[in-house]
Amino acid sequence: MPGYEAFDQSEKKEVMDVMETGILMRYGFENQRGGVNKTLEMEKALCEKLGTRHAQLTPSGTTAVSTALAVCGIGAGDEVIMPTFTFVASFESILALGAIPILVDIDDTLTLDPAAVERAITPRTKAVMPVHMCGAQAHLDELMAICRKHNLILIEDACQATGATYHGKALGTFGRMGCFSFDFAKVITMGEGGAVVTDDDLLAKKADGYVDHGHDHVGSDRGAESHPFMGMNYRVNELASAIGLAQLRKLDSIVARQKQTKKYIKDALAAEFPRLSFRRVLDPEGDIATFLSFSLETLEQAEAATRALVENGVGGVFHYYNNNWHYIRRWNHLKERATLYRLPQEVLDGMPDYATKTFPQSDAIISRNISTAINLSWSDDQVKARTEAMIRALRTVF
Ligand SMILES: *Cc1c(COP(=O)(O)O)cnc(C)c1O
């Protein structure tokens, strides 16, 4: 999975291009930088790769999501629908803007259940933020139809799905804005980094300002630039962009290798365990194959299988039900509303009580699901040995 497994001379070369000029800032310094601007270059390459008009790099996926929400005008008291199974960045970004995260069930695609989304809509709902978890698609057709019908903004969190597609079109390019992460564990990495993309010229212009204190970037004197609105410092630095550029060029080959590995393991498990059910992937062609997810029949079986996999030396096994990062069940800080500052009254009044609210449908899915990482650096022999170890482990419980 992680792009860092593919590091070679090309990342070093891109970084050295930047160090030769000494200009780590993406803006200005036109005389000193001698035409080197890895950030612009990566933004352009990302647009080409994804088939989108605009891309704005950010220092993380979290700031990409924050930027998308802010640029779409989401703020105090607005409700944003998000899944129960995602990364904590989803609700962090919503709450940081004074908006209200409305958590909604997932289905067997491990992404937002459209019927549950529709039931959660209120007059305060402003946006729906599906998360393309573990490298594959949320229900885009249904979610786009719901957003059209109710006049809601669709923002895609494609942080785990760079390079994934749905019927040939890149994830992240269906909604009004799409968000990506290039942190150290993602399919391609900038060390830390991210991006927001859009086809909307005005939103792109706003994103360009928002990530740089609201600068309008007109003219060549930063001090003389005007600020049509307030922003943040969500600027990316040139060294990170240099690494990202080299990584982006490898994305296709990374995904091709992962797909081959995933298919091998999946076919072997399916042949051995006819009753094992695999995650429903809406368009398998467009899956970037960062994970192989399957579910057992009960929570107890999934727990036993997780233990057996670990005992058999299988690394990268995630039983998200018992994991603190990705599923509502263990998000105690959200349940306790544990912020360092007082949340706006609208949020305190309007946010459901997640300490008591239950999600039986999500629990039924996540409690039985195991996701296993597909690494990039495994040799064919290692893939074969891993598959054999997985079969040995699963035989003890299934
Ligand atoms: C990684 C991730 C993020 C945040 O990305 P960072 O770059 O780590 O800030 C947001 N959403 C999802 C689904 C992620 O997996």
Side-chain angles (χ1 to χ4, degrees), residues 84-231:
T84 53
F85 176 51
T86 172
F87 180 56
V88 294
S90 301
F91 61 78
E92 287 172 338
S93 312
I94 296 166
L95 286 170
L97 292 166
I100 303 171
I102 300 296
L103 275 60
V104 158
D105 272 322
I106 55 154
D107 66 13
D108 58 351
T109 64
L110 305 184
T111 69
L112 273 181
D113 174 3
V117 169
E118 193 132 38
R119 284 195 297 275
I121 294 170
T122 74
R124 288 178 304 280
T125 309
K126 192 86 173 266
V128 179
M129 191 160 67
V131 182
H132 303 296
M133 278 304 272
C134 304
Q137 314 87 7
H139 291 275
L140 285 166
D141 295 328
E142 292 85 347
L143 294 174
M144 285 192 295
I146 290 170
C147 287
R148 266 195 304 273
K149 181 171 154 201
H150 297 273
N151 195 25
L152 303 175
I153 299 165
L154 183 71
I155 295 173
E156 294 173 78
D157 180 337
C159 286
Q160 293 197 7
T162 303
T165 57
Y166 182 54
H167 301 323
K169 182 172 157 65
L171 297 190
T173 66
F174 288 82
R176 200 166 301 174
M177 298 196 101
C179 311
F180 295 87
S181 166
F182 311 118
D183 77 21
F184 197 57
K186 297 299 207 274
V187 64
I188 57 169
T189 185
M190 298 169 62
E192 299 283 0
V196 280
V197 305
T198 184
D199 281 334
D200 183 311
D201 297 349
L202 184 59
L203 289 179
K205 184 80 197 110
K206 287 179 178 172
D208 178 61
Y210 188 73
V211 303
D212 186 26
H213 303 296
H215 276 267
D216 66 2
H217 298 137
V218 173
S220 54
D221 177 359
R222 260 177 90 72
E225 287 176 11
S226 61
H227 307 93
F229 51 81
M230 287 180 268

Side-chain angles (χ1 to χ4, degrees), residues 297-361:
E297 286 161 344
T298 61
L299 165 63
E300 292 69 30
Q301 246 183 22
E303 285 176 334
T306 304
R307 275 195 304 274
L309 286 164
V310 172
E311 279 160 17
N312 278 274
V314 178
V317 175
F318 303 94
H319 184 218
Y320 291 113
Y321 190 72
N322 291 327
N323 165 308
N324 289 350
W325 266 23
H326 291 284
Y327 186 55
I328 171 76
R329 193 168 92 92
R330 294 279 187 98
W331 287 340
N332 292 335
H333 54 337
L334 173 65
K335 295 181 184 186
E336 291 158 12
R337 303 180 173 196
T339 49
L340 293 176
Y341 51 90
R342 202 176 74 81
L343 288 168
Q345 201 57 44
E346 279 157 303
V347 174
L348 294 170
D349 294 342
M351 186 160 66
D353 181 2
Y354 291 118
T356 56
K357 194 169 168 57
T358 58
F359 293 92
Q361 178 177 322

